[in-house]
């Protein structure tokens, strides 16, 4: 989880810094935008990671349930 949070922060910082730099912002504005981008990127990556893990967990549980019902059906015949 820490790696995802840090990766999102670095990417958010880089994107916001590049966007501010291309808009010819002052250094103060560039760093402010980058800091906000860092926070936003980290939170978005964390949210996306939890959604991804929840989906994987539900998929695994669904496959286990399907395998159990298939095994029970084979056992009955």
């Amino acid at each position: 989880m820490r790696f995802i949070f840090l990766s999102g922060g670095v990417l958010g910082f880089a994107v916001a810094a590049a966007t501010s730099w291309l808009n010819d912002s002052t250094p103060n504005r560039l760093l402010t935008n980058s800091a906000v981008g860092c926070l936003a990127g980290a939170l978005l990556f964390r949210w996306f990671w939890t959604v991804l893990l929840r989906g994987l967990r539900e998929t695994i549980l669904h496959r286990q349930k399907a395998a159990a019902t298939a095994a029970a059906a084979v056992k009955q015949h």
Side-chain angles (χ1 to χ4, degrees), residues 56-67:
L56 287 173
R57 181 178 159 269
E58 289 175 5
T59 301
I60 290 170
L61 291 176
H62 180 70
R63 285 185 182 179
Q64 286 177 348
K65 185 177 179 181

Side-chain angles (χ1 to χ4, degrees), residues 1-49:
M1 178 70 97
R2 187 181 327 172
F3 175 73
I4 296 299
F5 199 73
L6 289 173
S7 298
V10 167
L11 185 65
F13 185 91
V15 169
T19 304
S20 293
W21 182 68
L22 289 173
N23 285 331
D24 293 328
S25 296
T26 63
N28 288 338
R29 175 57 79 183
L30 188 140
L31 289 175
T32 303
N33 289 345
S34 299
V36 171
C38 178
L39 179 62
L43 292 176
L44 284 174
F45 266 54
R46 181 178 173 205
W47 170 79
F48 179 70
W49 185 250

Side-chain angles (χ1 to χ4, degrees), residues 48 50-51 58 61 70 74 77:
F48 179 70
T50 57
V51 168
E58 289 175 5
L61 291 176
V74 168
H77 293 298

